[in-house]
Amino acid sequence: MKNNKNLELSGDYIAGFTDGEGCFDLQFRRDVRHERSGKPVYYSWKVQFVINIRKDDDEILRKIHDVLNCGQIHFTEREVRYSVQDLENLKNIIIPFFNKYPLSGKKKMDFKLWAEAVDILYLNKGKFGKTWNKKDFQRLIKIHKLMQEFKSKRPQGFKWVSLAESIVQTLK
């Protein structure tokens, strides 16, 4: 892509590129606050949109970033990663973009489930887990399990989800 610096990317092109290289991620995460005394542990749902490609193709991610006007680009030794993690941007930019420029095949179904998860998280933004509606929490667990069908098979796919299932039992 380095030879095509002036290339304008269409929405359809970005959707097609995402079909092949993109990921709609939903995780139930465990975070340890090492800087606090007692190192408290927190659990939360996280969502992100990611495209991860070879480092020498970074120009395409720069162009996608320019079109979507949100997210971050990070480099590793061999790869470059574009990710959008901010819930506002996911809800107000990424979801409308892919509703306007639809995905295909498995990625289309993955996106539909993921977008529902973003909506649930957006509705519960700023709430402590204990105050969530039980049905919303249960639905996120269900969405997470359904999305695994569209992911590469990897052992960490359900990491911490059993804990999420025990937490949901404490909700009203």
Side-chain angles (χ1 to χ4, degrees):
M1 286 310 299
K2 299 230 184 250
N3 297 331
N4 297 317
K5 291 200 183 269
N6 296 324
L7 175 71
E8 293 292 323
L9 299 184
S10 71
D12 289 324
Y13 180 89
I14 293 171
F17 194 81
T18 299
D19 272 328
E21 305 295 334
C23 175
F24 297 99
D25 186 39
L26 171 65
Q27 302 175 25
F28 189 71
R29 292 184 38 112
R30 177 183 186 258
D31 295 306
V32 179
R33 299 299 299 262
H34 294 282
E35 75 280 4
R36 293 192 180 165
S37 63
K39 297 181 182 177
V41 176
Y42 298 91
Y43 296 91
S44 60
W45 288 101
K46 302 286 185 193
V47 286
Q48 64 179 332
F49 166 62
V50 178
I51 301 173
N52 204 40
I53 58 174
R54 288 174 22 153
K55 189 176 183 178
D56 59 353
D57 281 334
D58 67 307
E59 189 61 30
I60 189 76
L61 293 188
R62 293 179 195 283
K63 299 263 182 217
I64 291 171
H65 178 269
D66 290 347
V67 170
L68 296 174
N69 198 29
C70 64
Q72 306 266 327
I73 296 175
H74 299 282
F75 291 84
T76 66
E77 187 176 317
R78 294 183 181 149
E79 297 178 329
V80 60
R81 172 186 170 102
Y82 170 67
S83 68
V84 181
Q85 300 175 14
D86 179 74
L87 194 56
E88 293 286 331
N89 288 334
L90 294 171
K91 172 79 173 152
N92 298 313
I93 297 172
I94 301 302
I95 290 174
F97 181 86
F98 288 111
N99 282 333
K100 183 175 180 179
Y101 301 102
L103 298 152
S104 304
K106 289 182 180 180
K107 197 70 71 177
K108 182 176 187 173
M109 293 306 302
D110 191 32
F111 169 73
K112 183 178 176 184
L113 290 164
W114 177 85
E116 183 183 349
V118 170
D119 287 341
I120 292 168
L121 290 169
Y122 192 82
L123 287 171
N124 288 283
K125 180 176 62 168
K127 293 182 183 178
F128 288 108
K130 296 178 202 175
T131 64
W132 276 46
N133 176 305
K134 186 174 187 171
K135 288 182 180 178
D136 286 346
F137 210 93
Q138 287 172 320
R139 183 62 186 151
L140 284 176
I141 293 169
K142 177 81 169 172
I143 289 169
H144 184 272
K145 289 179 179 181
L146 291 169
M147 287 179 72
Q148 295 309 304
E149 177 184 338
F150 307 109
K151 307 295 181 197
S152 316
K153 301 297 181 217
R154 51 181 204 248
Q156 71 270 28
F158 285 97
K159 192 173 185 176
W160 307 116
V161 172
S162 61
L163 184 63
E165 291 171 330
S166 66
I167 290 171
V168 80
Q169 300 306 316
T170 67
L171 301 175
K172 296 179 180 181

